[in-house]
Amino acid sequence: QVQLVESGGGLVQAGGSLRLSCAASGRTFSDYAMAWFRQAPGKEREFVAAISPGSTYYHDSVKGRFTISRDNAKNTVHLQMNSLKPEDTAVYYCAFRHGSYYSTRAPSTYNFNYWGQGTQVTVSS
């Protein structure tokens, strides 16, 4: 089993920044991928960003504004979010999968086995 603990959500004005963190513990092993998804009220959960050894993936709507990174020694992934917009408002979920993710397509929820509880990000206009 893998446990994920997210932190860093909050309320910010449009144009501001937030940094989300997710720490993985348990049976993580050394080869894994992690990602962030988000879900706004009344909408489906959507992919935001993912990181696998040597590769990163971003949804088009966040490219150039969000940066995903990982600290392998701490089994932690970060999402630096800059130039935030009201449409970025959502609950952000951390996700984990054993094994790397490499594809020409952005990952979906089906590609990840473990999920965090979510952290609220609210961007005011």
Side-chain angles (χ1 to χ4, degrees):
Q1 290 292 328
V2 173
Q3 294 78 44
L4 302 174
V5 178
E6 300 131 330
S7 61
L11 172 65
V12 65
Q13 288 188 332
S17 298
L18 283 175
R19 187 179 190 233
L20 305 183
S21 296
C22 176
S25 62
R27 297 175 61 84
T28 56
F29 305 116
S30 60
D31 184 20
Y32 60 87
M34 294 183 74
W36 291 94
F37 288 74
R38 66 187 180 187
Q39 189 166 16
K43 295 187 176 181
E44 293 187 353
R45 193 169 298 189
E46 68 172 5
F47 168 71
V48 176
I51 187 165
S52 200
S55 296
T56 55
Y57 304 81
Y58 295 96
H59 190 277
D60 286 345
S61 65
V62 306
K63 284 181 181 177
R65 300 189 298 123
F66 292 10
T67 302
I68 190 169
S69 62
R70 62 192 272 172
D71 182 339
N72 292 328
K74 297 181 179 180
N75 290 336
T76 299
V77 65
H78 304 285
L79 185 68
Q80 178 65 44
M81 306 186 293
N82 299 328
S83 303
L84 282 161
K85 305 175 180 180
E87 51 263 43
D88 294 319
T89 295
V91 177
Y92 283 69
Y93 295 91
C94 176
F96 176 100
R97 59 170 275 151
H98 288 111
S100 302
Y101 178 86
Y102 297 113
S103 175
T104 57
R105 295 185 175 184
S108 72
T109 57
Y110 299 104
N111 296 121
F112 293 87
N113 311 103
Y114 299 96
W115 295 85
Q117 293 299 309
T119 184
Q120 177 70 47
V121 171
T122 303
V123 184
S124 63
S125 58

